[in-house]
Amino acid sequence: MLVIGNHTVHRTLDGKEHEVLDAVRDAYVAHAVGDTAVPHSVFLRFPADDTNRIIGLPAYLGGDAQVAGMKWISSFPGNVASGRPRASAAIILNSLSTGQPEALIEGSTISARRTAASAALAARTMPGETPDTGVSLIGCGVINAEVLRFLRVVAPDLRTVRLFDLDRTRAEAFAEAHATGLTVEFADSVDEALAAHRLVSIATTASTPHTGLDHCRPGTLVLHLSLRDLTPEAILDSVNVVDDADHVCRASTSLHLAEQRSGNRDFITAALGDTLATGRPAPRDPHKVTVFSPFGLGILDLALADLVRTDAEKNDTAVRLTDFLPGE
């Protein structure tokens, strides 16, 4: 049994954005052609607590990876005020021949980077009429920090970032830590951030819709990563791209609410994996707002966890427990 901590995860993934993007893309394509198994995630919630949760995401990823396992990830937003990360996670990988657990990997960095890589792939796959030179980030936490990292890889023309967070101090600290080399602007409202650029990433801890998209310019791509920020009306008025409709239309996401409002899923235009499988870009509608809403499939976590495990085995950087299983 290999145990791989966060330091090793960082050492494996830091500076390897292209490899991460390739792994996430390959996982999406495998899903598009039916070479995955992705049961619905399980939400563990607590009595009289509508804020905190722990989610289990089991999955199997075929293709070149051939890996099975599960991510167990908690979201406790109150941690932020006390200086701890909102999310923490563990990923377990199982043998496909015996079913036995083979690796336990710290998963928070993997989770954040696979989310950011999926957003960056969407931005690259759905280009605007002109290259994006600016991006608005709504929510200045770990996820949008990683989004900015990966956007700078796939959108090298980026020069400006507009930041909005309910806590201006967080936005300023974010700028200092993550926006080196970019022109930084601060928005005083969500509407101002939405209007500033035709590329927007929303990554907040919102549990209910709080904004429409009326202030977005036509041709804007909104990376709706936290899934519960946009009103059902905004979703229904947009071009919608998802990672998997069955997964994203659950658990009171904005798309789930839009489905309940409309009585169908006709407002969903495409799945990102299907587009990636064609190998051709799908330019944004220049007259409407396009919204990418990824639930975050467990196969993406497995793809990066497998990269980390392979590297740790090669370089002997994991802790190997020889008495973890019965009979060892």
Side-chain angles (χ1 to χ4, degrees), residues 116 118-124 126 135-138 144 147 151 199-203 220-227 229-230 290-294:
S118 70
L121 284 171
R124 184 171 70 186
M126 295 182 281
V135 60
S136 292
L137 304 180
I138 298 172
N144 263 341
V147 168
L151 286 178
L199 181 59
V200 178
S201 177
I202 305 177
T220 295
L221 172 62
V222 177
L223 306 170
H224 182 213
L225 305 181
S226 36
L227 292 179
D229 303 83
L230 303 182
T290 299
V291 177
F292 175 55
S293 300

Side-chain angles (χ1 to χ4, degrees), residues 41 46 54 58 62 66 71 73 88 92 133 139 184 190 193 231 235-236 241 244 253 257-258 283-284 304-305 321 328:
S41 56
F46 309 97
I54 308 177
Q66 296 288 317
K71 179 176 73 173
I73 182 166
S88 57
I92 190 163
T133 59
V184 178
V190 170
T231 64
I235 293 293
L236 294 172
V241 178
D244 186 292
T253 65
L257 299 179
R284 306 169 206 165
L304 299 197
L321 299 182
E328 288 188 339

Side-chain angles (χ1 to χ4, degrees), residues 82-317:
S82 59
R84 287 189 291 267
R86 174 190 62 84
S88 57
I91 298 171
I92 190 163
L93 302 181
N94 293 76
S95 166
L96 287 172
S97 59
T98 68
Q100 293 178 321
E102 295 182 320
L104 177 65
I105 305 172
E106 197 285 320
S108 62
T109 298
I110 288 172
S111 187
R113 294 197 183 180
R114 63 81 149 149
T115 301
S118 70
L121 284 171
R124 184 171 70 186
T125 305
M126 295 182 281
E129 290 187 306
T130 59
D132 291 303
T133 59
V135 60
S136 292
L137 304 180
I138 298 172
C140 294
V142 171
I143 298 299
N144 263 341
E146 295 294 348
V147 168
L148 185 58
R149 176 203 301 272
F150 281 89
L151 286 178
R152 295 179 77 171
V153 173
V154 303
D157 293 305
L158 279 182
R159 298 290 181 269
T160 305
V161 58
R162 181 75 62 104
L163 302 175
F164 175 76
D165 194 281
L166 292 175
D167 183 345
R168 176 61 175 263
T169 302
R170 272 170 59 85
E172 292 171 349
F174 182 103
E176 183 175 351
H178 305 294
T180 303
L182 297 174
T183 298
V184 178
E185 306 162 340
F186 295 98
D188 293 323
S189 67
V190 170
D191 290 344
E192 182 184 335
L194 291 171
H197 299 291
R198 287 192 173 90
L199 181 59
V200 178
S201 177
I202 305 177
T204 75
T205 58
S207 58
T208 56
H210 60 88
T211 186
L213 295 173
D214 293 343
H215 288 79
C216 288
R217 289 178 277 173
T220 295
L221 172 62
V222 177
L223 306 170
H224 182 213
L225 305 181
S226 36
L227 292 179
R228 294 171 177 82
D229 303 83
L230 303 182
T231 64
E233 293 79 12
I235 293 293
L236 294 172
D237 287 341
S238 302
V239 176
N240 289 281
V241 178
V242 301
D243 53 1
D244 186 292
D246 286 337
H247 285 263
V248 80
C249 290
R250 298 179 68 229
S252 297
T253 65
S254 295
L255 281 84
H256 189 196
L257 299 179
E259 179 187 29
Q260 293 174 331
R261 182 73 54 88
S262 65
N264 57 61
R265 296 179 181 175
D266 295 346
F267 58 90
I268 297 177
T269 302
L272 180 62
D274 292 335
T275 302
L276 291 169
T278 71
R280 298 187 300 273
R284 306 169 206 165
D285 186 329
H287 306 294
K288 300 190 72 174
V289 175
T290 299
V291 177
F292 175 55
S293 300
F295 179 80
L297 302 175
I299 53 173
L300 309 184
D301 301 288
L302 295 190
L304 299 197
D306 193 46
L307 282 180
V308 170
R309 172 178 61 175
T310 300
D311 185 85
E313 289 180 318
K314 177 182 177 181
N315 294 297
D316 196 25
T317 54

